[in-house]
């Protein structure tokens, strides 16, 4: 089992920045891919950013590309999401997720391929 705990959410104004963290514990060696998702009220959960096991490859949703950066501290088992130039439409609960296995790049931001999820952290962006 893997436990994921997010932190760093909060309320900011349009154009502001936040940095989310996700601390992993437990059998972390059983997972090799990590991602961030978000879910706004009444909407489906959507993939935001993915990072490869080595950290050398990342993937972003079109809506956040150029504004968000995913990174990781593998030694500390912490995943990060730096969010800049925030917009009201970024308001959502943000979740980190971890999983294993090999998937096509088109699948890497699909929530169904991830086995472990954090409890979420709320991000609210006001105009």
């Amino acid at each position: 089992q893997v436990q994921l705990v997010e932190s760093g959410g909060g309320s900011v104004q349009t154009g502001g920045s936040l940095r989310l963290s996700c601390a992993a514990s437990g059998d972390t060696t059983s997972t090799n891919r990590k991602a961030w998702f978000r879910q706004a009220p009444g909407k489906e959960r959507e993939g935001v950013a993915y990072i490869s096991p080595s950290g050398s490859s990342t993937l972003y949703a079109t809506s956040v590309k150029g504004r968000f950066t995913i990174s990781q501290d593998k030694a500390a088992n912490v995943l990060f999401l730096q969010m800049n130039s925030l917009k009201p439409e970024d308001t959502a609960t943000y979740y980190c997720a971890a999983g294993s296995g090999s998937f096509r790049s088109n699948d890497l931001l699909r929530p169904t391929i991830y086995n472990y999820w954090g409890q979420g952290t709320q991000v609210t962006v006001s105009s």
Side-chain angles (χ1 to χ4, degrees), residues 5 8 10 14 20 23 36 39 61 82 90 111 113 121 127:
V5 179
T14 297
L20 305 184
W36 286 97
Q39 188 166 18
Q82 178 66 43
D90 295 318
I113 70 168
T121 185
S127 58

Side-chain angles (χ1 to χ4, degrees), residues 22 36 64 114 123:
C22 173
W36 286 97
V64 307
Y114 292 89
V123 171

Side-chain angles (χ1 to χ4, degrees), residues 15 28 36 39 53 72 83 103-104 123:
T28 57
W36 286 97
Q39 188 166 18
Q72 63 183 346
M83 305 186 296
F103 298 91
R104 301 176 302 174
V123 171

Side-chain angles (χ1 to χ4, degrees), residues 27 29 43 53 57 62-63 77 94-96 102 104-105 112 124:
D27 187 16
T29 58
K43 294 188 176 182
S57 177
T62 302
S63 58
N77 287 318
Y94 283 71
Y95 301 89
C96 65
S102 297
R104 301 176 302 174
S105 58
T112 53
T124 303

Side-chain angles (χ1 to χ4, degrees), residues 3-127:
Q3 294 78 43
L4 303 172
V5 179
E6 302 97 335
S7 61
S11 297
V12 296
Q13 292 188 325
T14 297
S17 298
L18 284 173
R19 189 190 195 204
L20 305 184
S21 299
C22 173
S25 61
D27 187 16
T28 57
T29 58
S30 67
T31 60
N32 62 352
R33 54 190 73 253
K34 300 178 179 66
W36 286 97
F37 290 79
R38 66 186 181 186
Q39 188 166 18
K43 294 188 176 182
E44 293 186 353
R45 189 167 297 189
E46 65 168 339
V48 173
Y50 159 85
I51 189 166
S52 65
S54 67
S56 61
S57 177
T58 56
L59 182 67
Y60 296 94
T62 302
S63 58
V64 307
K65 197 174 296 184
R67 299 187 298 122
F68 290 13
T69 303
I70 188 172
S71 62
Q72 63 183 346
D73 182 337
K74 295 187 69 176
N77 287 318
V78 181
L79 182 70
F80 301 101
L81 185 67
Q82 178 66 43
M83 305 186 296
N84 298 328
S85 302
L86 283 162
K87 305 175 181 180
E89 50 264 44
D90 295 318
T91 295
T93 301
Y94 283 71
Y95 301 89
C96 65
S100 60
S102 297
F103 298 91
R104 301 176 302 174
S105 58
N106 288 347
D107 294 330
L108 293 173
L109 290 180
R110 289 175 52 200
T112 53
I113 70 168
Y114 292 89
N115 307 99
Y116 302 101
W117 294 84
Q119 82 290 348
T121 185
Q122 178 66 37
V123 171
T124 303
V125 185
S126 59
S127 58

